Amino acid sequence: MKENSKELIKVNKISTGIWKLTFGSPEKITPVGLRNSQYLIANIEKLICEDIIPIDKEDIKFKITNRGSIVELPLRDNEKIYGFGLQLKSFIQNGKKKNLRMNSDPVADTGDSHAPVPFYVTNSGYGILVDTSRYLTYYCGTHSKVSEFNEDVEKRSDTIAGNTTDLYAIKETNKQMNMVIEIPSVQGVDIYIFEGPSMKNAVQRYNLFSGGGCVPPLWGLGIWYRIFGNSNSEDAIKLTDLMRETKIPCDVFGFEPGWHSHSYSCSYKWDKTRFKNSQVMLDELNRMEYKVNLWEHVFVHPTSDIYEKMKKYSGDYEVWDGLVPDFSIAEARNIFSEYHKKEFVEKGVLGFKLDECDSSDYCPVPWSFPDYSSFPSGIDGEQMHSLLGVLYQQTILKAFEDKNIRTYSQVRSSHALAAPMPFVLYSDLYDHKDFIKGVVNMGFTGLLWSPEVRQCESTEDLIRRIQTVVFSPQALINCWMIKNPPWFQVDCDKNNRDEYMEGYEKVEEIIRKYFRIRMSLIPYLYSGFVKYHEEGIPPFRALVMDYPEDKNTFAIDDEYLMGDSILVAPLVAGENSRKVYLPEGNWYDFWTNAKIKGEAFYEIKAELDIIPLFIKEGTILPLAEPVDYITKDTVFKLNINCYGDKCEDFVLFEDDGYTYNFNEGDFNKIELSYNKDCGKSIKKVGEYSGTKYEIIDWIYIK
Amino acid sequence: MKENSKELIKVNKISTGIWKLTFGSPEKITPVGLRNSQYLIANIEKLICEDIIPIDKEDIKFKITNRGSIVELPLRDNEKIYGFGLQLKSFIQNGKKKNLRMNSDPVADTGDSHAPVPFYVTNSGYGILVDTSRYLTYYCGTHSKVSEFNEDVEKRSDTIAGNTTDLYAIKETNKQMNMVIEIPSVQGVDIYIFEGPSMKNAVQRYNLFSGGGCVPPLWGLGIWYRIFGNSNSEDAIKLTDLMRETKIPCDVFGFEPGWHSHSYSCSYKWDKTRFKNSQVMLDELNRMEYKVNLWEHVFVHPTSDIYEKMKKYSGDYEVWDGLVPDFSIAEARNIFSEYHKKEFVEKGVLGFKLDECDSSDYCPVPWSFPDYSSFPSGIDGEQMHSLLGVLYQQTILKAFEDKNIRTYSQVRSSHALAAPMPFVLYSDLYDHKDFIKGVVNMGFTGLLWSPEVRQCESTEDLIRRIQTVVFSPQALINCWMIKNPPWFQVDCDKNNRDEYMEGYEKVEEIIRKYFRIRMSLIPYLYSGFVKYHEEGIPPFRALVMDYPEDKNTFAIDDEYLMGDSILVAPLVAGENSRKVYLPEGNWYDFWTNAKIKGEAFYEIKAELDIIPLFIKEGTILPLAEPVDYITKDTVFKLNINCYGDKCEDFVLFEDDGYTYNFNEGDFNKIELSYNKDCGKSIKKVGEYSGTKYEIIDWIYIK
């Protein structure tokens, strides 16, 4: 066992406030090495910091064992740890052991995840990225070494637990505990440290290092609907017609596995029985301004046109009889990407749902490739499980980038450095509270997550879930199990027998209301994503990121900020009121405009058609007149809501909302200002010649 | 990566039908190396076999990778795999990935277990032990390599799944799949192959190689009761008096953590406030013929008398402020064992409950030591997690062996080669069907498991669980959460307020009936354990072990054999009938003596006071007049039940039932014979001078 000799740790400065620490001999293929985006140095350097490495090198320990490598980092008193990607079962990570295995259906709080990201931040104002695709384990201040006997310790002997919850609960201790990170099978590793000064700044730096957050096309922020798995082209046209007729806003229309001539695994060709003339259908959907999204996974069936070409760039094991392409090899990416460009992007498809690129240890049958697989690049199955999601996203993204078209898509797996990817995560899990926790957690580590709505136990469950998903990165209704929209019938069997439930019109009306609110928020959300891109600020995030000094926010895992100004506090079925914490300053109830004093907890009542929403005092909130869908010509008619007497400027981002031209400077920034004394003002700067916004009115809320 | 060079595999013959295959350079500390029992060569050699290694060496592949070592073994067509220790969520292991991590509270069918045993058997009639304490992974015919396109494969494309269960179900395939075993972090491993010819013979060989099954003291087969955690000595005496007064059979009386002056971690000293004079209480309990069992775990608190001595033989991390002794070191075992002998065994304690020697990855807080811990012997935390349960059992067992007293105890963790350990597993999990599956599965890998009864949702749940536990290795009622026996009140809160439920007398009557049945079965069970010891035949086992040619038995995971002759088919709450398979031959309903033709499935109705039990035709079943408890002088009054005209001989085992003198030949074997033509006969052979059995009557059931 080699331990901590000075030569084993090397420090390199990467950029302002970013350092790379090299321990031992790291593996060659890692997330940072495979990143295809350039990190945004100029933007990073705009962030102010002390530019002093926030952890004393002397306090860092490194060890190589039979099991792999161990890095030990100090933790400060009361330091709170957040992150590790899509964690649905926990928020503050202190005291927890997290084994970041890529997996679908993680049933416990073990660290297994669709998107286990080896990055964490703390409220001491720094972030740590471990650059590995191994299933590493974080011991977040869990254990203390054998020490001298201590009187304090002896005190905790008195109560006899009466149940297992008490028995195994976290016990407060005064002992010093470190963050210990164990990376299996390696002889060394690179670790990147991101300075703050605040936790939010550390996250910004990480996101900019990743390449900056994605900017979805405008339509991506509208309503998404995925159709019943067994549908054919007539069903699709019938349903899309219905949506337009019933004035239910809908932008994206998604097909599930049944569109393939073969799945599972995938042929990537239209099924000729269900879709006799797919191009006619696609053209018709495009004419109706639907953006078509196609389900697929990465496993290439022998009947696929790319099977033979892909064989030599694939792993040695099959999944559902299909190949597993090694997308760490450029040729494999090109074959896949070119095929998708020619067969789908050029024919009018605007996005994909990239399913099952995670893993399957929690499934009764492990359908995914084994961890011991070998891939032509030399990486093994464990590494590929971690990397596949991001590599797959990069591969699909290229098919769109080549055509200068933006996509906004779905993916079931992600990992480190994913902020630039315009892909939103989802899961087969379905607990509503867990889904809300997903929205709260994802902002720490450069992910986007949709608490998608599928089957519902009741109309109450449906409405509460719709309320959550409408205030998330992707307002997605996934009806792969039901023939009719759930607002007509929540019972799946009845739905599939076309039996509408009694009083469905009322439900439909509430759903429509929420979809319209979503549509009205698109300009606001879009600006939030531009901040994600330029400054690395996550568009959805936990309260503690904006209020790191406020202890009351530390554990709040069921409220979140959407953009800088809207606080969302969803309810789940069975609740008609909930506790809401409002941080310092004043807040306005979105529904009543009532002004509420912050830095306080409130019990908020909310009838079924209300989700508690609060607007920060000083906000300029542009709300659009809702449209049913976005076209290239859509001009948002804006009501500019000013909350309070003295508002922060709000910057609308204006571009075509569709291409990457904004990267070449083809955009405008429209700065909206208001304060009681000076009045309102609009300042437009930029080179984009089109018009996306028309201001109808200014509204002043006191 | 080194692959399969001939020098990397060496074959050694160990005994008749047992071979060791050495791959690469195995680790030094392994389960076989730490085994303290001698394997029973003479007994192994009595088992007939072809003595030909059952797997062709040419078909075995070995590879060393960055992750560890991989051994690949062929699987035959339709070969069924069983084993891997205490698996509560699955039975046939084909198609599954099992990662044998030591853990408490495993929530999914991942391989995590209190007792993950790296041994499996197949119905092709052989068993495989991987001699490692690493968290190895078995891929049980899960994956196939990329192959040429195959028309058969293309056929399985037609249906579109309508739910995730269908989506991820096992799909039949004609492809060749192997057993692939991945052992992390090692450069080689020893594998032991146990020949059959039958699966049962392979298990027998494995158990005899382990040292033969344990023989519990007679009292261990009686009724066990564990008292409310917060009880004091007065509570204990009151409760034990009550059991005797109400004629509820009870042999073993167990104390929970509250008896320690400090727990968690443990002081191993009586708490002076709750137990002012523990010796007086112990003496009184012994006078009443209760056998006292004390809860503890292995983590040594600073206030323990052995803390200072143990420090240098302990791991570098604490658990609940306590030391983790390294019992792979003789000094550590001796300190612990000597203390227990002097303080407890010599003072009248007859057993222990060894809690929490597993691990805690599924707990919200990982209370157990980290996998990266170091121990003085050189083993790490991962290895220690696997080994600790068995080492702890060995250590405690020594305290009794030194005094020539047998124990029958409890333990929450076990591993390979545990058959000689007189310790029964239990779990904080509680699903009744899973608990039944535990009884069915444990026989494959040398384990004992108690589906213990704790809190109950209803009287129905209580009675159904009692019925199961009474037909298990340890009839254990664990009332650590309730003050009164559950037959007085199943609702925990009401129980703790001393409120008896209405009509409790009826429930009590049924419970008493089942406890009395248990007591009457002790001579039969005891003989079963002697077969476990001498021949390696598990006393509780799946039907497929005795009927390996009968395809109907392959998947039966909710019925089991108790001994050679009793088929048990428990029900759970909510059921009043169930499907029962009876294998070939005739069977008798235990309750009605009705004769039923085998090789058939039946829907068996069972009122709440009935558990379906079937006796194999040709059985001689000794049933004792039930006693309330066992003493050294107990003489079992036997009714000898003969089922059918031509019975197999039954051998009663007669010894003091208390010491190890039987190992020196101080026992009798009483052979009971019956067949219609020749009549009954009794043949007694042996040197034991005492009398344990008195035959009252012979009963002939046609």
Side-chain angles (χ1 to χ4, degrees):
Chain A
M1 189 188 299
K2 298 180 212 163
E3 190 158 358
N4 228 20
S5 70
K6 290 252 160 112
E7 315 81 73
L8 286 174
I9 309 182
K10 290 191 199 91
V11 181
N12 272 292
K13 187 163 179 185
I14 300 295
S15 180
T16 317
I18 306 181
W19 295 266
K20 176 166 88 167
L21 274 61
T22 299
F23 301 88
S25 311
E27 290 188 297
K28 294 221 171 64
I29 300 183
T30 68
V32 171
L34 287 171
R35 179 181 51 168
N36 75 342
S37 312
Q38 288 303 307
Y39 64 92
L40 304 183
I41 301 182
N43 301 34
I44 290 171
E45 291 183 347
K46 277 184 207 154
L47 298 176
I48 294 158
C49 70
E50 290 191 6
D51 209 17
I52 297 171
I53 190 163
I55 299 177
D56 192 341
K57 200 185 143 188
E58 297 303 310
D59 293 338
I60 300 173
K61 291 176 197 155
F62 174 66
K63 198 158 78 170
I64 298 172
T65 72
N66 290 337
R67 290 165 47 87
S69 292
I70 295 175
V71 177
E72 197 168 342
L73 302 167
L75 287 176
R76 299 172 206 184
D77 285 351
N78 301 313
E79 185 167 0
K80 302 287 176 214
I81 300 158
Y82 304 90
F84 303 130
L86 182 70
Q87 296 294 328
L88 297 178
K89 304 270 182 197
S90 54
F91 183 58
I92 295 178
Q93 302 298 334
N94 294 65
K96 295 195 170 281
K97 173 182 179 182
K98 285 283 161 90
N99 179 208
L100 297 197
R101 284 196 304 186
M102 181 63 73
N103 263 319
S104 56
D105 307 302
V107 284
D109 190 22
T110 50
D112 293 88
S113 165
H114 296 288
V117 178
F119 178 70
Y120 68 89
V121 286
T122 89
N123 63 353
S124 295
Y126 65 90
I128 302 281
L129 171 70
V130 182
D131 184 28
T132 185
S133 54
R134 295 283 166 204
Y135 292 164
L136 74 171
T137 301
Y138 292 86
Y139 292 81
C140 305
T142 48
H143 293 87
S144 53
K145 289 208 167 183
V146 171
S147 57
E148 290 310 307
F149 180 53
N150 178 334
E151 273 299 319
D152 288 350
V153 166
E154 178 56 10
K155 277 187 214 151
R156 356 196 224 119
S157 64
D158 301 314
T159 54
I160 301 294
N163 57 62
T164 48
T165 309
D166 290 352
L167 205 53
Y168 299 127
I170 293 189
K171 285 160 189 154
E172 285 296 329
T173 174
N174 298 321
K175 296 193 177 181
Q176 172 61 30
M177 305 220 234
N178 293 330
M179 168 65 86
V180 181
I181 309 168
E182 189 175 29
I183 310 107
S185 313
V186 301
Q187 300 294 305
V189 71
D190 289 324
I191 285 184
Y192 291 80
I193 302 186
F194 300 85
E195 202 189 338
S198 73
M199 178 151 66
K200 187 168 158 185
N201 296 142
V203 169
Q204 287 177 260
R205 250 187 202 84
Y206 167 74
N207 285 337
L208 294 173
F209 176 78
S210 305
C214 69
V215 182
L218 276 167
W219 56 260
L221 301 174
I223 305 298
W224 291 53
Y225 189 95
R226 303 200 72 89
I227 195 173
F228 188 51
N230 225 342
S231 301
N232 59 26
S233 47
E234 290 73 35
D235 298 326
I237 296 298
K238 207 173 124 191
L239 193 62
T240 49
D241 278 346
L242 178 76
M243 303 284 270
R244 293 287 183 255
E245 277 162 27
T246 54
K247 293 267 177 198
I248 298 284
C250 185
D251 264 289
V252 185
F253 193 74
F255 291 92
E256 288 289 304
W259 77 266
H260 289 265
S261 61
H262 190 284
S263 70
Y264 291 25
S265 50
C266 291
S267 63
Y268 313 104
K269 289 193 277 208
W270 288 91
D271 179 81
K272 295 286 181 205
T273 55
R274 281 184 288 269
F275 300 91
K276 288 200 184 60
N277 194 329
S278 55
Q279 195 57 52
V280 169
M281 181 192 70
L282 275 181
D283 293 345
E284 173 61 10
L285 290 173
N286 284 335
R287 191 195 61 75
M288 291 165 77
E289 296 288 352
Y290 282 103
K291 293 82 190 176
V292 173
N293 178 295
L294 297 180
W295 175 97
E296 62 170 50
H297 58 210
V298 71
F299 310 117
V300 181
H301 189 259
T303 58
S304 159
D305 293 348
I306 57 176
Y307 183 86
E308 286 305 326
K309 272 188 279 188
M310 196 60 94
K311 211 162 177 180
K312 67 174 162 178
Y313 302 116
S314 294
D316 54 350
Y317 278 84
E318 296 178 343
V319 176
W320 290 306
D321 311 316
L323 301 173
V324 187
D326 184 347
F327 286 146
S328 73
I329 298 171
E331 287 85 345
R333 285 202 300 274
N334 286 340
I335 293 166
F336 206 87
S337 162
E338 285 297 314
Y339 179 85
H340 279 71
K341 181 165 73 181
K342 210 171 120 249
E343 292 301 321
F344 304 114
V345 182
E346 291 181 358
K347 290 180 179 173
V349 171
L350 278 171
F352 294 91
K353 173 181 176 181
L354 311 182
D355 209 8
E356 287 137 345
C357 43
D358 36 37
S359 190
S360 56
D361 290 330
Y362 289 90
C363 298
V365 176
W367 45 260
S368 197
F369 52 89
D371 292 336
Y372 60 80
S373 306
S374 301
F375 287 84
S377 63
I379 65 180
D380 61 39
E382 174 189 3
Q383 294 172 297
M384 185 55 92
H385 277 303
S386 297
L387 296 168
L388 182 57
V390 173
L391 289 170
Y392 192 11
Q393 292 171 61
Q394 289 176 4
T395 302
I396 291 293
L397 187 55
K398 193 172 174 297
F400 290 98
E401 285 176 341
D402 285 358
K403 304 296 295 180
N404 191 25
I405 296 171
R406 275 188 269 166
T407 183
Y408 198 46
S409 283
Q410 294 186 257
V411 69
R412 211 173 80 177
S413 161
S414 203
H415 198 256
L417 309 167
M421 300 289 122
F423 289 80
V424 182
L425 290 155
Y426 60 95
S427 175
D428 277 348
L429 297 173
Y430 203 51
D431 181 89
H432 191 182
K433 288 202 170 188
D434 288 357
F435 269 34
I436 294 166
K437 203 171 279 142
V439 181
V440 183
N441 266 332
M442 68 186 180
F444 294 116
T445 49
L447 299 178
L448 299 172
W449 155 255
S450 176
E452 70 170 18
V453 180
R454 295 195 300 266
Q455 73 282 15
C456 295
E457 283 183 13
S458 60
T459 54
E460 184 192 4
D461 186 33
L462 171 67
I463 291 168
R464 289 304 189 196
R465 287 178 181 273
I466 292 270
Q467 287 168 349
T468 303
V469 83
V470 151
F471 295 94
S472 87
Q474 198 169 56
L476 172 63
I477 320 300
N478 181 0
C479 299
W480 76 281
M481 289 188 266
I482 45 175
K483 280 167 71 179
N484 300 288
W487 43 90
F488 292 145
Q489 176 59 264
V490 292
D491 181 293
C492 289
D493 291 336
K494 289 182 185 166
N495 188 304
N496 289 334
R497 290 197 304 265
D498 299 321
E499 295 172 20
Y500 282 24
M501 59 195 177
E502 215 173 307
Y504 73 85
E505 298 88 345
K506 260 194 177 163
V507 179
E508 188 189 359
E509 190 47 46
I510 296 174
I511 304 302
R512 189 184 292 109
K513 174 178 102 175
Y514 275 93
F515 285 1
R516 288 169 63 86
I517 290 174
R518 171 73 179 199
M519 297 308 286
S520 74
L521 282 164
I522 289 179
Y524 171 79
L525 276 168
Y526 196 56
S527 289
F529 273 97
V530 170
K531 282 198 170 188
Y532 191 29
H533 179 64
E534 293 180 345
E535 299 171 50
I537 300 173
F540 291 80
R541 57 193 186 265
L543 266 54
V544 69
M545 281 186 80
D546 285 44
Y547 302 93
E549 305 297 328
D550 181 351
K551 282 187 181 176
N552 289 325
T553 68
F554 289 1
I556 291 179
D557 62 357
D558 58 356
E559 308 173 24
Y560 52 90
L561 294 169
M562 178 167 95
D564 296 336
S565 304
I566 304 181
L567 188 155
V568 185
L571 278 78
V572 304
E575 298 176 346
N576 54 26
S577 80
R578 61 158 288 170
K579 200 167 78 167
V580 175
Y581 181 70
L582 299 176
E584 61 171 343
N586 292 313
W587 295 80
Y588 292 82
D589 182 311
F590 177 78
W591 305 101
T592 63
N593 284 339
K595 191 167 169 178
I596 310 171
K597 212 172 139 32
E599 218 163 352
F601 286 94
Y602 294 94
E603 186 67 28
I604 303 288
K605 282 194 185 157
E607 296 299 319
L608 183 53
D609 65 335
I610 293 294
I611 176 174
L613 298 172
F614 302 92
I615 315 297
K616 193 163 71 172
E617 185 176 38
T619 292
I620 295 177
L621 176 67
L623 284 176
E625 305 277 323
V627 291
D628 286 350
Y629 49 87
I630 311 277
T631 74
K632 287 184 183 168
D633 303 322
T634 296
V635 177
F636 292 98
K637 296 186 174 157
L638 300 181
N639 291 293
I640 310 299
N641 295 269
C642 302
Y643 291 86
D645 289 339
K646 210 175 152 188
C647 290
E648 293 271 316
D649 295 348
F650 185 90
V651 181
L652 285 164
F653 188 77
E654 191 170 47
D655 75 330
D656 62 24
Y658 188 78
T659 71
Y660 285 99
N661 293 353
F662 73 91
N663 274 337
E664 314 304 321
D666 194 15
F667 64 84
N668 302 322
K669 288 193 171 183
I670 304 170
E671 198 177 285
L672 308 176
S673 306
Y674 170 72
N675 103 31
K676 198 187 167 191
D677 301 328
C678 316
K680 67 180 190 219
S681 76
I682 305 172
K683 203 165 75 190
K684 182 163 173 171
V685 184
E687 294 171 16
Y688 176 62
S689 59
T691 299
K692 287 287 166 196
Y693 305 112
E694 183 187 333
I695 293 175
I696 303 295
D697 201 2
W698 289 70
I699 298 152
Y700 305 102
I701 299 141
K702 298 295 155 193
Chain B
M1 189 189 301
K2 298 181 211 162
E3 191 157 359
N4 229 21
S5 71
K6 290 252 159 114
E7 315 82 73
L8 286 173
I9 310 183
K10 289 191 201 89
V11 181
N12 272 290
K13 188 165 179 183
I14 301 295
S15 180
T16 316
I18 307 181
W19 296 265
K20 175 166 88 166
L21 274 60
T22 298
F23 301 88
S25 310
E27 291 188 296
K28 292 220 173 63
I29 300 184
T30 68
V32 171
L34 287 171
R35 179 181 51 169
N36 74 341
S37 313
Q38 288 303 307
Y39 63 91
L40 305 182
I41 301 181
N43 301 34
I44 290 171
E45 289 182 348
K46 277 184 206 152
L47 298 176
I48 293 159
C49 69
E50 290 191 7
D51 207 18
I52 296 170
I53 189 163
I55 298 177
D56 191 340
K57 200 186 142 187
E58 298 302 310
D59 293 337
I60 300 174
K61 291 175 197 158
F62 173 65
K63 198 159 79 170
I64 298 174
T65 72
N66 291 336
R67 290 164 47 88
S69 290
I70 295 174
V71 176
E72 196 168 342
L73 302 167
L75 287 175
R76 298 172 207 184
D77 285 349
N78 300 313
E79 186 168 2
K80 302 288 177 212
I81 300 158
Y82 304 90
F84 303 130
L86 182 69
Q87 297 293 328
L88 298 178
K89 304 272 181 197
S90 54
F91 182 59
I92 295 177
Q93 301 298 335
N94 293 63
K96 296 196 170 282
K97 174 182 178 182
K98 285 283 161 89
N99 180 208
L100 297 197
R101 285 196 304 185
M102 181 62 75
N103 262 318
S104 57
D105 308 301
V107 284
D109 190 22
T110 49
D112 293 88
S113 165
H114 296 287
V117 178
F119 178 70
Y120 68 89
V121 285
T122 88
N123 63 352
S124 295
Y126 65 90
I128 302 282
L129 171 69
V130 182
D131 184 27
T132 185
S133 55
R134 295 284 165 203
Y135 293 164
L136 75 171
T137 301
Y138 292 85
Y139 292 82
C140 305
T142 49
H143 292 88
S144 53
K145 289 207 167 182
V146 171
S147 57
E148 290 310 307
F149 181 52
N150 176 337
E151 271 300 318
D152 287 350
V153 167
E154 176 57 10
K155 277 188 212 150
R156 358 197 225 116
S157 63
D158 300 315
T159 53
I160 301 295
N163 57 63
T164 47
T165 310
D166 290 351
L167 207 52
Y168 299 126
I170 294 188
K171 285 162 187 151
E172 286 295 329
T173 174
N174 298 322
K175 295 192 178 181
Q176 172 60 32
M177 307 223 230
N178 292 329
M179 167 65 87
V180 181
I181 308 169
E182 189 175 29
I183 309 107
S185 312
V186 301
Q187 301 293 305
V189 71
D190 288 325
I191 285 184
Y192 291 80
I193 302 186
F194 299 85
E195 203 189 336
S198 74
M199 178 153 65
K200 188 168 160 186
N201 296 142
V203 168
Q204 287 178 259
R205 252 187 199 85
Y206 166 74
N207 285 337
L208 294 172
F209 175 79
S210 306
C214 67
V215 183
L218 275 167
W219 56 260
L221 300 175
I223 304 298
W224 290 56
Y225 189 96
R226 302 202 72 89
I227 196 174
F228 188 51
N230 226 344
S231 301
N232 58 26
S233 47
E234 290 72 34
D235 299 326
I237 297 298
K238 207 173 122 194
L239 193 61
T240 48
D241 278 346
L242 178 75
M243 303 285 270
R244 294 287 183 255
E245 278 162 27
T246 54
K247 294 268 177 198
I248 298 284
C250 184
D251 265 288
V252 185
F253 192 74
F255 291 91
E256 287 290 303
W259 78 267
H260 288 265
S261 61
H262 190 284
S263 70
Y264 293 27
S265 50
C266 290
S267 64
Y268 314 103
K269 289 192 278 208
W270 287 92
D271 180 82
K272 296 284 182 206
T273 55
R274 280 185 287 270
F275 301 90
K276 288 201 183 61
N277 194 330
S278 55
Q279 194 57 52
V280 169
M281 180 192 71
L282 273 182
D283 293 344
E284 172 62 10
L285 289 173
N286 284 335
R287 193 195 58 75
M288 293 165 75
E289 296 287 355
Y290 283 102
K291 293 82 190 174
V292 172
N293 179 295
L294 297 181
W295 175 98
E296 63 169 52
H297 59 210
V298 72
F299 310 116
V300 181
H301 189 259
T303 58
S304 160
D305 293 347
I306 57 174
Y307 183 87
E308 286 305 327
K309 272 188 278 186
M310 195 60 93
K311 213 163 175 177
K312 66 173 162 179
Y313 302 116
S314 293
D316 54 350
Y317 278 84
E318 296 177 342
V319 176
W320 290 306
D321 309 318
L323 300 173
V324 187
D326 183 348
F327 287 146
S328 73
I329 298 171
E331 287 85 345
R333 283 200 303 273
N334 286 341
I335 293 166
F336 206 87
S337 162
E338 286 296 315
Y339 179 84
H340 278 72
K341 182 167 71 184
K342 208 171 122 253
E343 292 300 321
F344 304 114
V345 181
E346 292 181 357
K347 292 181 176 172
V349 171
L350 278 172
F352 294 91
K353 173 181 175 180
L354 311 182
D355 209 8
E356 286 137 346
C357 43
D358 37 35
S359 190
S360 56
D361 289 331
Y362 288 90
C363 299
V365 176
W367 46 260
S368 196
F369 52 88
D371 293 335
Y372 61 80
S373 304
S374 300
F375 287 84
S377 63
I379 66 179
D380 60 39
E382 173 189 4
Q383 294 173 296
M384 185 55 92
H385 277 301
S386 297
L387 297 168
L388 182 57
V390 173
L391 289 170
Y392 192 11
Q393 292 171 63
Q394 289 176 5
T395 303
I396 291 293
L397 187 54
K398 193 172 173 300
F400 291 96
E401 285 175 340
D402 284 357
K403 305 295 295 179
N404 191 25
I405 295 171
R406 275 187 267 166
T407 182
Y408 198 45
S409 283
Q410 293 187 256
V411 70
R412 210 173 79 178
S413 160
S414 204
H415 198 254
L417 308 167
M421 299 291 122
F423 289 81
V424 182
L425 291 155
Y426 60 96
S427 175
D428 278 348
L429 297 174
Y430 203 51
D431 182 88
H432 191 182
K433 289 205 169 186
D434 288 356
F435 269 33
I436 294 165
K437 202 170 281 145
V439 181
V440 182
N441 267 331
M442 67 186 180
F444 294 116
T445 50
L447 299 178
L448 299 172
W449 154 255
S450 175
E452 70 170 17
V453 180
R454 295 194 301 264
Q455 73 283 14
C456 295
E457 283 183 14
S458 60
T459 54
E460 184 192 6
D461 186 33
L462 170 67
I463 291 167
R464 290 304 188 195
R465 286 177 181 275
I466 293 270
Q467 288 169 347
T468 303
V469 85
V470 151
F471 296 94
S472 86
Q474 197 169 57
L476 173 62
I477 321 300
N478 181 359
C479 298
W480 76 281
M481 288 187 266
I482 47 175
K483 280 167 72 179
N484 300 287
W487 43 90
F488 293 146
Q489 176 58 267
V490 292
D491 181 295
C492 290
D493 290 337
K494 289 183 184 166
N495 188 305
N496 289 333
R497 291 197 304 266
D498 298 320
E499 296 171 20
Y500 282 24
M501 60 193 175
E502 215 172 308
Y504 73 86
E505 297 90 345
K506 259 194 179 162
V507 179
E508 189 188 0
E509 190 48 46
I510 296 174
I511 304 301
R512 189 184 292 107
K513 174 178 104 177
Y514 274 93
F515 286 3
R516 288 168 65 84
I517 291 175
R518 171 73 180 199
M519 297 308 286
S520 74
L521 282 165
I522 289 179
Y524 171 78
L525 276 169
Y526 196 55
S527 289
F529 273 96
V530 170
K531 281 201 172 185
Y532 190 30
H533 180 64
E534 295 180 343
E535 300 171 49
I537 300 173
F540 291 80
R541 57 193 186 266
L543 267 52
V544 69
M545 280 185 82
D546 285 42
Y547 302 93
E549 304 297 327
D550 181 352
K551 282 187 180 174
N552 289 326
T553 68
F554 289 0
I556 291 179
D557 62 357
D558 58 357
E559 308 173 26
Y560 52 90
L561 294 169
M562 178 167 94
D564 296 336
S565 304
I566 303 182
L567 188 155
V568 186
L571 277 79
V572 303
E575 298 176 344
N576 53 24
S577 80
R578 59 159 288 171
K579 200 167 77 168
V580 176
Y581 180 69
L582 298 177
E584 61 170 345
N586 292 314
W587 296 79
Y588 292 83
D589 183 309
F590 176 79
W591 305 101
T592 64
N593 284 339
K595 191 166 168 179
I596 309 170
K597 213 174 135 35
E599 217 164 349
F601 287 93
Y602 294 94
E603 186 66 28
I604 303 287
K605 282 195 183 155
E607 296 300 316
L608 184 54
D609 66 335
I610 294 294
I611 177 174
L613 298 173
F614 302 91
I615 315 297
K616 195 163 70 171
E617 185 175 39
T619 293
I620 295 178
L621 177 67
L623 284 177
E625 305 276 323
V627 292
D628 285 349
Y629 48 88
I630 311 278
T631 75
K632 286 183 185 170
D633 303 322
T634 296
V635 176
F636 292 98
K637 297 186 173 157
L638 301 181
N639 291 293
I640 310 299
N641 295 269
C642 302
Y643 290 86
D645 291 339
K646 210 177 153 188
C647 291
E648 292 273 317
D649 295 349
F650 185 89
V651 181
L652 285 164
F653 189 78
E654 191 170 47
D655 76 331
D656 63 23
Y658 189 79
T659 72
Y660 286 99
N661 293 354
F662 73 91
N663 275 337
E664 313 305 320
D666 194 15
F667 64 85
N668 301 321
K669 289 196 171 181
I670 304 170
E671 198 177 285
L672 308 174
S673 306
Y674 170 72
N675 103 31
K676 200 187 168 191
D677 302 327
C678 317
K680 66 181 192 219
S681 75
I682 304 172
K683 204 166 72 189
K684 184 163 172 169
V685 183
E687 295 171 15
Y688 176 63
S689 59
T691 300
K692 287 288 167 196
Y693 305 112
E694 184 187 331
I695 293 174
I696 302 295
D697 201 3
W698 289 70
I699 298 152
Y700 305 103
I701 298 139
K702 298 294 155 194

